[in-house]
Every structure is written in C-alpha cells, then in structure tokens.
Coordinates of all heavy atoms in Angstrom, one line a residue:
R1 N -6.1 0.7 7.2 CA -5.4 -0.4 7.8 C -3.9 -0.3 7.7 O -3.4 0.4 6.8 CB -5.8 -1.8 7.2 CG -5.4 -1.9 5.7 CD -6.0 -3.2 5.1 NE -7.4 -3.1 5.1 CZ -8.2 -4.2 4.9 NH1 -7.6 -5.4 4.6 NH2 -9.5 -4.1 4.9
P2 N -3.1 -0.8 8.6 CA -1.7 -0.7 8.6 C -1.0 -1.6 7.5 O -1.6 -2.6 7.2 CB -1.2 -1.1 10.0 CG -2.3 -2.0 10.5 CD -3.6 -1.5 9.8
H3 N 0.2 -1.2 7.1 CA 0.9 -2.1 6.2 C 1.4 -3.3 7.0 O 1.7 -3.2 8.2 CB 2.0 -1.4 5.5 CG 1.6 -0.5 4.4 ND1 1.7 -0.7 3.1 CD2 0.9 0.7 4.5 CE1 1.2 0.2 2.4 NE2 0.7 1.1 3.2
P4 N 1.6 -4.5 6.4 CA 2.1 -5.6 7.1 C 3.6 -5.4 7.5 O 4.3 -4.5 6.9 CB 2.0 -6.8 6.1 CG 1.7 -6.2 4.8 CD 1.2 -4.8 5.0
P5 N 4.1 -6.2 8.4 CA 5.5 -6.1 8.8 C 6.5 -6.4 7.6 O 6.1 -7.0 6.6 CB 5.7 -7.1 9.9 CG 4.5 -8.1 9.7 CD 3.4 -7.3 9.1
A6 N 7.7 -5.9 7.7 CA 8.7 -6.0 6.6 C 8.9 -7.5 6.2 O 9.1 -7.7 5.0 CB 10.0 -5.4 7.0
E7 N 8.8 -8.4 7.1 CA 9.1 -9.9 6.7 C 7.8 -10.6 6.1 O 7.9 -11.7 5.8 CB 9.6 -10.6 7.9 CG 8.6 -10.7 9.1 CD 8.7 -9.5 10.0 OE1 9.5 -8.6 9.8 OE2 7.9 -9.5 10.9
A8 N 6.7 -9.9 5.9 CA 5.5 -10.5 5.4 C 5.8 -10.8 3.9 O 6.7 -10.2 3.2 CB 4.4 -9.5 5.5
M9 N 4.9 -11.6 3.3 CA 5.1 -12.0 1.9 C 5.0 -10.8 1.0 O 4.2 -9.9 1.1 CB 4.0 -13.0 1.6 CG 4.0 -13.5 0.2 SD 2.7 -14.7 -0.2 CE 1.3 -13.6 -0.4
H10 N 5.9 -10.8 0.0 CA 5.9 -9.8 -1.1 C 5.2 -10.4 -2.3 O 5.4 -11.6 -2.6 CB 7.3 -9.4 -1.4 CG 8.0 -8.5 -0.4 ND1 8.0 -8.8 0.9 CD2 8.6 -7.4 -0.5 CE1 8.6 -7.9 1.6 NE2 9.1 -7.0 0.7
T11 N 4.5 -9.6 -3.0 CA 3.8 -10.1 -4.2 C 4.1 -9.1 -5.4 O 4.7 -8.0 -5.2 CB 2.2 -10.1 -4.1 OG1 1.8 -8.7 -3.8 CG2 1.8 -11.0 -2.9
F12 N 3.8 -9.4 -6.6 CA 4.0 -8.6 -7.7 C 3.3 -7.3 -7.7 O 3.7 -6.2 -8.1 CB 3.8 -9.3 -9.1 CG 4.9 -10.3 -9.4 CD1 4.6 -11.6 -9.4 CD2 6.2 -9.9 -9.6 CE1 5.5 -12.6 -9.6 CE2 7.1 -10.9 -9.9 CZ 6.8 -12.2 -9.9
T13 N 2.1 -7.3 -7.1 CA 1.2 -6.1 -7.0 C 1.5 -5.4 -5.7 O 1.1 -4.2 -5.6 CB -0.2 -6.4 -7.2 OG1 -0.6 -7.4 -6.3 CG2 -0.5 -6.8 -8.6
G14 N 2.1 -6.0 -4.7 CA 2.4 -5.3 -3.5 C 1.1 -5.2 -2.6 O 0.1 -5.7 -2.9
F15 N 1.3 -4.4 -1.6 CA 0.2 -4.1 -0.6 C 0.0 -2.5 -0.7 O 0.9 -1.8 -0.4 CB 0.6 -4.5 0.8 CG -0.5 -4.3 1.8 CD1 -1.5 -5.2 2.0 CD2 -0.6 -3.1 2.5 CE1 -2.6 -5.0 2.9 CE2 -1.6 -2.9 3.4 CZ -2.6 -3.8 3.6
S16 N -1.2 -2.1 -1.0 CA -1.5 -0.7 -1.2 C -2.5 -0.1 -0.3 O -3.5 -0.8 -0.1 CB -1.9 -0.4 -2.7 OG -0.9 -0.8 -3.6
T17 N -2.3 1.0 0.3 CA -3.3 1.8 1.0 C -3.4 3.1 0.4 O -2.4 3.6 -0.3 CB -2.9 2.0 2.5 OG1 -1.6 2.6 2.6 CG2 -2.8 0.6 3.2
G18 N -4.5 3.8 0.5 CA -4.7 5.1 -0.1 C -5.6 6.0 0.7 O -6.3 5.6 1.6
H19 N -5.5 7.3 0.3 CA -6.4 8.3 0.9 C -6.6 9.4 -0.2 O -5.8 9.5 -1.1 CB -5.8 8.8 2.2 CG -4.6 9.6 2.0 ND1 -3.3 9.0 1.9 CD2 -4.3 10.9 1.9 CE1 -2.4 9.9 1.7 NE2 -3.0 11.1 1.7
Y20 N -7.6 10.2 0.0 CA -7.8 11.3 -0.9 C -7.2 12.6 -0.3 O -7.3 12.9 0.8 CB -9.3 11.5 -1.1 CG -9.8 10.6 -2.1 CD1 -10.5 9.4 -1.7 CD2 -9.6 10.7 -3.5 CE1 -11.0 8.5 -2.7 CE2 -10.1 9.9 -4.4 CZ -10.8 8.7 -4.0 OH -11.3 7.9 -5.0
D21 N -6.5 13.3 -1.2 CA -5.9 14.6 -0.9 C -6.7 15.6 -1.9 O -6.3 15.7 -3.0 CB -4.4 14.7 -1.1 CG -3.8 16.0 -0.7 OD1 -4.5 16.8 -0.1 OD2 -2.6 16.2 -1.0
G22 N -7.8 16.1 -1.4 CA -8.6 16.9 -2.3 C -9.3 15.9 -3.3 O -9.9 14.9 -2.9
D23 N -9.1 16.1 -4.6 CA -9.7 15.2 -5.6 C -8.7 14.2 -6.1 O -9.0 13.4 -6.9 CB -10.1 16.0 -6.8 CG -11.3 16.9 -6.6 OD1 -12.1 16.6 -5.6 OD2 -11.5 17.9 -7.3
N24 N -7.5 14.2 -5.5 CA -6.4 13.2 -5.9 C -6.4 12.0 -5.0 O -6.3 12.2 -3.8 CB -5.0 13.9 -5.9 CG -5.0 15.0 -6.9 OD1 -5.4 14.9 -8.0 ND2 -4.4 16.2 -6.4
L25 N -6.3 10.8 -5.6 CA -6.1 9.6 -4.8 C -4.6 9.4 -4.6 O -3.8 9.3 -5.6 CB -6.7 8.4 -5.6 CG -6.4 7.0 -5.0 CD1 -7.1 6.9 -3.6 CD2 -7.0 6.0 -5.9
V26 N -4.1 9.4 -3.4 CA -2.7 9.2 -3.0 C -2.6 7.7 -2.6 O -3.3 7.3 -1.6 CB -2.3 10.1 -2.0 CG1 -0.8 9.9 -1.6 CG2 -2.5 11.6 -2.4
V27 N -1.7 7.0 -3.2 CA -1.5 5.5 -2.9 C -0.1 5.3 -2.5 O 0.8 5.7 -3.1 CB -1.9 4.7 -4.2 CG1 -1.7 3.2 -3.8 CG2 -3.3 4.9 -4.6
E28 N 0.1 4.5 -1.4 CA 1.4 4.0 -1.0 C 1.4 2.5 -1.1 O 0.5 1.9 -0.6 CB 1.6 4.4 0.5 CG 3.0 4.0 1.0 CD 3.3 4.2 2.4 OE1 2.5 5.0 3.1 OE2 4.3 3.7 3.0
T29 N 2.4 2.0 -1.8 CA 2.5 0.6 -2.1 C 3.8 0.1 -1.5 O 4.9 0.6 -1.8 CB 2.4 0.3 -3.6 OG1 1.2 0.8 -4.1 CG2 2.5 -1.2 -3.8
T30 N 3.8 -1.0 -0.7 CA 4.9 -1.7 -0.2 C 4.8 -3.1 -0.5 O 3.8 -3.6 -1.1 CB 5.0 -1.5 1.3 OG1 3.9 -2.0 1.9 CG2 5.1 0.0 1.7
H31 N 5.8 -3.9 -0.2 CA 5.8 -5.4 -0.3 C 5.7 -5.9 -1.8 O 5.0 -6.8 -2.1 CB 4.7 -6.0 0.5 CG 5.0 -5.8 2.0 ND1 4.7 -4.6 2.6 CD2 5.5 -6.6 2.9 CE1 5.0 -4.7 3.9 NE2 5.5 -5.9 4.1
M32 N 6.4 -5.1 -2.7 CA 6.4 -5.6 -4.1 C 7.7 -6.5 -4.2 O 8.7 -6.3 -3.6 CB 6.6 -4.4 -5.1 CG 5.3 -3.6 -5.2 SD 5.5 -2.4 -6.5 CE 6.9 -1.4 -6.0

C-alpha cells in the first residue's frame, strides 16, 4: 500500500511499510 500524503495525520509510531530483501525485513516509516 502507498504511504499517505504529506498533510495526513502524524502519529508517534508513524506509518510503516515493509518488504523482505532476502532474509531481512526492510521497513520505511513516515508520518512520525
């Protein structure tokens, strides 16, 4: 799923998406 637009609500935990690169979980977090 896409990250929300820049003006969307920010939270302390943010919005995170992830994928696996081999055995490693790669996470991108925005909106903190």
